[in-house]
Amino acid sequence: MSQQPTGGPSITQERRLVTEIPGPRSQELAARKAKAVASGVAVGLPVQIVAAGGGILVDADGNQLIDLGSGIAVTTVGNSAPRVVEAVTRQVAEFTHTCFMVTPYEGYVAVAEKLNELTPGTHEKRSALFNSGAEAVENAVKIARSATGKQSVVVFDHAYHGRTNLTMAMTAKNMPYKKGFGPFASEVYRAPLSYPFRDGGLDGAEAARKAIDVIEKQVGADNLAAIVIEPIQGEGGFIVPADGFLPALVSWCRENNVVFVADEVQTGFARTGELFACDHEGVVPDLIVTAKGIAGGLPLAAVTGRAELMDAAHAGGLGGTYGGNPLACAAALAVIETIEAEGLVDRARTIGKTMIERLSALKDADPRIGEVRGRGAMIAVELVKPGTDEPDADLTKRVAAAANAQGMVVLTCGTYGNVLRFLPPLSMPDHLLDEALDILTQVFREN
Ligand SMILES: Cc1ncc(COP(=O)(O)O)c(C=O)c1O
């Protein structure tokens, strides 16, 4: 049963604007940032956050903003969720680090056990823990290469896999992720994605045939270690592939000794109304990469997969100083407990139903909304010039800026910069979600 979550610290769950956004204190911090922080590290909305919980971010000027971003799909269980605070506080007082590769501790093993149990498939699994999504994606590729003795990797149009050298090569979009940062890692090939709004409505099987044709002609199964795909693309535009696309790719991988890797860094941990997005179609990946929502904001990532693949890398071949550090592991166990205790998978579905209903009504009244899509609490609208499918990035920027000015954190994404994406924490109460949708309706009317 879905229930209203208990939320985090005792912050009144109301939007409140007491200054312009950003207010004077936030502007002071922005001035300090400009002098102290590399300008390559850009900021979406320069408000100085001092507290957060439930569905609210509080800034240093006393404004309370509705959070529709969850720090890019990280604080799925809410900011400073009570169980996470309690578990991390206890752990920080006990010990903060030993390096699991030097002297191990229980939390790491317990997280691996939980991941092996909860990720799709009942086969024997192993997990390895890392710090960031990109690092885990890199390790999934290392594992697939080591297990198959092959080198090539196939990724998809619109993909985002991170900002390290290999994951930049795997990411599709040049600006801002890749421009000027090459040369990139080799043996990475790109296949067409199922993108129902933009591929003429190919069904999943047809779209998969097209992708497989490119893979067979341009790469060859004999060279191919892994296909890496986001089951719902995140930064690329919250693109939900047509039904059957993912299962067809999995079948082809099985027939061709190619490792199927699901990058669930953004979609994982209850976000989409299933524990993992693969679960919507019963897809069982060989390896699954998780991060973001796994640990409530502490840096943790994982690769989980078939024991025989995961065990292929030689002893000492996987790891890192901080991977699976004790604080992050304590947080992850508390996140998983929170998802189960508060029925957050159902909660994501309820949030998704409300958002799809309200945004679809908005689309019916506004021809600039080309499509409303997504699953659970991972929902987006793609904006176009009316009567066409021509992307409207300017409108997207205007709507996001107007929503920000009204005290709402809204993110954009998409290869064409024309997608507004909504990732509310699952701790957001109904009245705040309703208010956020009212504001969006008003902002579309005025822009
Ligand atoms: C699907 C996907 N993969 C990988 C990454 C990279 O994760 P991180 O930023 O933790 O390195 C992201 C981050 O947005 C992502 O959405």
Side-chain angles (χ1 to χ4, degrees):
M1 259 288 289
S2 167
Q3 57 191 60
Q4 290 274 327
T6 50
S10 53
I11 294 168
T12 53
Q13 292 298 297
E14 64 182 23
R15 182 179 66 108
R16 189 190 307 145
L17 293 182
V18 295
T19 70
E20 284 190 7
I21 302 290
R25 285 181 178 230
S26 291
Q27 288 181 34
E28 273 170 34
L29 186 71
R32 281 171 59 197
K33 177 203 172 265
K35 288 201 173 136
V37 180
S39 49
V41 185
V43 160
L45 176 61
V47 287
Q48 181 187 348
I49 299 305
V50 294
I56 289 289
L57 299 166
V58 184
D59 78 11
D61 294 291
N63 299 298
Q64 299 206 162
L65 297 93
I66 300 179
D67 180 10
L68 289 184
S70 298
I72 321 188
V74 170
T75 51
T76 306
V77 298
N79 248 297
S80 299
R83 288 180 185 80
V84 174
V85 172
E86 205 262 322
V88 173
T89 305
R90 195 175 343 109
Q91 181 60 50
V92 81
E94 283 168 1
F95 65 97
T96 50
H97 176 81
T98 64
C99 186
F100 187 76
M101 300 182 307
V102 178
T103 47
Y105 40 89
E106 202 240 338
Y108 188 117
V109 177
V111 170
E113 286 168 348
K114 272 284 176 199
L115 287 168
N116 297 348
E117 174 197 328
L118 296 174
T119 51
T122 52
H123 49 280
E124 194 179 346
K125 295 177 209 155
R126 305 274 188 271
S127 289
L129 305 185
F130 305 97
N131 300 292
S132 73
E135 190 191 356
V137 171
E138 291 234 5
N139 276 278
V141 171
K142 280 164 64 173
I143 291 162
R145 284 177 170 159
S146 180
T148 60
K150 301 189 276 184
Q151 293 185 348
S152 302
V153 177
V154 161
V155 290
F156 286 81
D157 287 335
H158 312 286
Y160 182 86
H161 295 292
R163 294 173 181 268
T164 57
N165 188 266
L166 174 58
T167 57
M168 276 192 292
M170 296 169 72
T171 290
K173 192 171 173 177
N174 176 46
M175 247 332 250
Y177 309 122
K178 300 166 76 161
K179 182 173 177 271
F181 298 148
F184 302 113
S186 61
E187 286 307 314
V188 176
Y189 300 89
R190 201 166 300 284
L193 181 76
S194 166
Y195 189 166
F197 183 64
R198 294 196 173 274
D199 67 8
L202 289 182
D203 69 28
E206 288 165 340
R209 253 195 309 279
K210 224 174 116 189
I212 289 165
D213 191 49
V214 168
I215 296 167
E216 288 181 337
K217 301 280 178 346
Q218 299 184 19
V219 189
D222 288 350
N223 302 311
L224 185 56
I227 284 183
V228 183
I229 188 164
E230 301 154 80
I232 300 174
Q233 280 197 335
E235 307 301 302
F238 281 27
I239 304 164
V240 185
D243 285 354
F245 180 72
L246 296 171
L249 293 180
V250 173
S251 302
W252 184 85
C253 284
R254 297 276 140 80
E255 286 157 16
N256 289 281
N257 183 33
V258 172
V259 179
F260 181 88
V261 183
D263 177 347
E264 291 239 21
V265 167
Q266 191 152 162
T267 49
F269 292 96
R271 172 56 57 189
T272 67
E274 291 283 355
L275 207 43
F276 299 97
C278 280
D279 293 330
H280 289 282
E281 283 197 90
V283 164
V284 177
D286 299 311
L287 302 179
I288 181 167
V289 181
T290 51
K292 286 189 184 280
I294 192 176
L298 275 86
L300 188 70
V303 182
T304 301
R306 294 185 187 282
E308 65 276 18
L309 301 177
M310 294 294 298
D311 284 340
H314 51 275
L318 306 176
T321 304
Y322 294 114
N325 90 77
L327 303 180
C329 288
L333 294 170
V335 161
I336 291 166
E337 197 189 317
T338 303
I339 289 171
E340 286 168 355
E342 299 194 359
L344 293 186
V345 172
D346 281 349
R347 178 74 190 144
R349 269 187 225 144
T350 306
I351 287 175
K353 190 164 170 289
T354 303
M355 295 193 87
I356 293 273
E357 271 170 23
R358 293 281 310 268
L359 294 169
S360 299
L362 199 56
K363 174 182 180 296
D364 291 343
D366 192 332
R368 299 171 303 172
I369 300 179
E371 189 175 48
V372 178
R373 60 174 177 252
R375 284 191 161 125
M378 182 174 182
I379 302 292
V381 292
E382 176 156 359
L383 304 185
V384 292
K385 302 272 163 65
T388 74
D389 64 2
E390 197 186 323
D392 195 339
D394 288 341
L395 173 65
T396 311
K397 270 195 217 107
R398 276 203 315 280
V399 169
N404 290 165
Q406 292 290 317
M408 231 161 69
V409 174
V410 177
L411 309 175
T412 61
C413 66
T415 300
Y416 314 108
N418 67 326
V419 178
L420 281 172
R421 59 170 154 171
F422 309 112
L423 292 159
L426 303 180
S427 53
M428 175 165 305
D430 285 340
H431 73 273
L432 275 186
L433 185 66
D434 287 338
E435 188 179 357
L437 291 162
D438 291 344
I439 292 168
L440 268 177
T441 306
Q442 180 202 332
V443 162
F444 267 100
R445 210 178 295 130
E446 291 170 356
N447 282 273

